[in-house]
Amino acid sequence: MNAIKRTFGFIHEHPLAKRHLLRAYFKFISWQIRSRLTSGFQKVKFINGIHFFAKSGLTGITGNIYTGLHEFNDMGFLLHFLRNEDTFFDVGANVGAYTLLASGVCRSKTISFEPVPTTYHILKKNINLNKLNDLVTIENKGVGSEEGNLRFTAEEDTTNHVILEDQEHQNSILVPIVFLDNYYPANNPALIKIDVEGFETAVLKGADQILNDKALKAIIIELNGSGGRYGYDDNQIHAKLLSHGFKPYEYHPIERKIEELDTFGTHNTIYIRDLAYVVYRLKSAVPFTIFNQSV
């Protein structure tokens, strides 16, 4: 019951779903019934002819069913910013919602990193489902500051994370780690999304060459204090990105309005540099249609 109440609260606060409450509730209730009648994977329409596989418990993708775009502001930014000549890095891809938008809708080249094998295999199914193999490279690896191996949780859905040596955890898995600069300059991203449950500091430490390249215009990064489990401080990430010319923003896709922030938010924050270039792209992007609304 508490989970349903949280979901209803989320729908009422969602920038798009709250404008289409009857549709959002219908989709939510329909999905609850559908997912209980069939326990396995089901093919679900996403956006612009893209589909994904979903089943009960996959919170990283099912929220898109009843809200259109689960992380509406950030996903809307990606859809309005990316072009088919761009490269996108999806760090902590989960089952691939951002990857599907980047390559399936925007037709950008994507490199997706997902460390947990069970989640990686669903990501792979979603890429194959949409015939995106020519645009998407998927890596069953974690991302950090250097190559090696680290232990991860394996059964926590979107919150799977690195386990330090002094932390005990059942059902952990050993995962190979790479650093982003290893993929540069052969791959030169215009946008990076980083959602690695507190390990963002290590990811950025392994991306100095990419951060120094002005071709990188924006980073969508989760900063919610979870880095504290590793002794990391989100304020240091903020300072690092400021030193590379980025500033924090929030994007409002319906109005195509970009709003500068004093500091980072409590969930995802969009960091942008070369603001005039980014704003031009946002305002000139082809609209996408979601919930029968052109955005």
Side-chain angles (χ1 to χ4, degrees):
M1 184 61 70
N2 286 336
I4 292 177
K5 287 176 66 176
R6 284 196 301 270
T7 300
F8 284 176
F10 174 67
I11 289 173
H12 274 265
E13 294 176 1
H14 189 274
L16 180 68
K18 69 182 181 182
R19 295 170 177 246
H20 305 273
L21 282 176
L22 289 179
R23 181 184 291 269
Y25 280 128
F26 175 77
K27 285 181 172 288
F28 173 74
I29 294 168
S30 297
W31 172 249
Q32 295 304 309
I33 295 170
R34 183 178 169 186
S35 61
R36 282 162 174 74
L37 292 176
T38 304
S39 60
F41 287 106
Q42 301 182 58
K43 181 179 172 181
V44 178
K45 286 184 179 180
F46 196 6
I47 178 175
N48 285 41
I50 298 301
H51 296 76
F52 56 75
F53 285 116
K55 65 177 181 178
S56 181
L58 286 182
T59 59
I61 199 79
T62 55
N64 295 292
I65 296 172
Y66 45 85
T67 64
L69 294 172
H70 184 87
E71 295 178 341
F72 182 69
N73 291 353
D74 307 314
M75 290 176 162
F77 176 84
L78 178 150
L79 287 167
H80 284 157
F81 172 73
L82 283 178
R83 302 291 191 270
N84 60 6
E85 66 267 24
D86 291 332
T87 296
F88 170 61
F89 281 7
D90 192 354
V91 183
N94 196 255
V95 300
Y98 278 84
T99 292
L100 294 177
L101 295 175
S103 291
V105 179
C106 301
R107 308 305 295 176
S108 300
K109 178 182 176 182
T110 299
I111 301 181
S112 298
F113 302 87
E114 174 49 47
V116 178
T118 52
T119 309
Y120 168 84
H121 288 305
I122 304 171
L123 168 64
K124 187 175 183 179
K125 283 170 64 74
N126 283 328
I127 299 309
N128 292 336
L129 173 65
N130 292 284
K131 298 180 172 61
L132 295 175
N133 303 82
D134 289 344
L135 287 174
V136 180
T137 300
I138 51 176
E139 298 276 29
N140 187 195
K141 299 171 183 176
V143 179
S145 58
E146 57 187 20
E147 292 184 333
N149 295 282
L150 288 173
R151 290 212 164 268
F152 275 73
T153 60
E155 299 178 352
E156 297 185 14
D157 191 32
T158 58
T159 59
N160 281 313
H161 57 274
V162 171
I163 306 171
L164 297 181
E165 291 183 2
D166 60 350
Q167 296 174 332
E168 292 186 8
H169 198 283
Q170 292 182 335
N171 302 319
S172 66
I173 55 173
L174 195 64
V175 171
I177 302 297
V178 294
F179 57 96
L180 292 184
D181 278 344
N182 234 8
Y183 295 79
Y184 176 87
N187 302 281
N188 197 2
L191 174 65
I192 301 175
K193 186 217 81 182
I194 306 173
D195 183 354
V196 289
E197 301 305 313
F199 213 60
E200 288 78 9
T201 295
V203 171
L204 292 174
K205 282 182 179 179
D208 281 336
Q209 293 182 74
I210 291 173
L211 289 173
N212 285 330
D213 192 321
K214 296 300 190 291
L216 177 64
K217 303 297 185 185
I219 300 170
I220 303 170
I221 186 167
E222 184 181 53
L223 299 176
N224 61 6
S226 57
R229 62 161 68 101
Y230 309 114
Y232 296 148
D233 184 346
D234 289 346
N235 288 292
Q236 293 177 346
I237 292 177
H238 178 69
K240 181 183 183 77
L241 294 177
L242 290 180
S243 72
H244 281 86
F246 292 92
K247 291 184 179 180
Y249 293 87
E250 183 174 7
Y251 183 54
H252 305 280
I254 294 172
E255 302 86 0
R256 300 206 185 192
K257 176 185 175 184
I258 198 89
E259 176 187 356
E260 186 173 348
L261 304 175
D262 293 330
T263 186
F264 52 89
T266 57
H267 184 51
N268 287 349
T269 301
I270 304 171
Y271 281 84
I272 295 171
R273 66 181 169 196
D274 198 349
L275 182 63
Y277 175 88
V278 171
V279 168
Y280 171 78
R281 276 204 170 189
L282 297 174
K283 292 189 178 297
S284 63
V286 174
F288 61 88
T289 301
I290 195 84
F291 277 13
N292 291 332
Q293 179 173 342
S294 180
V295 178

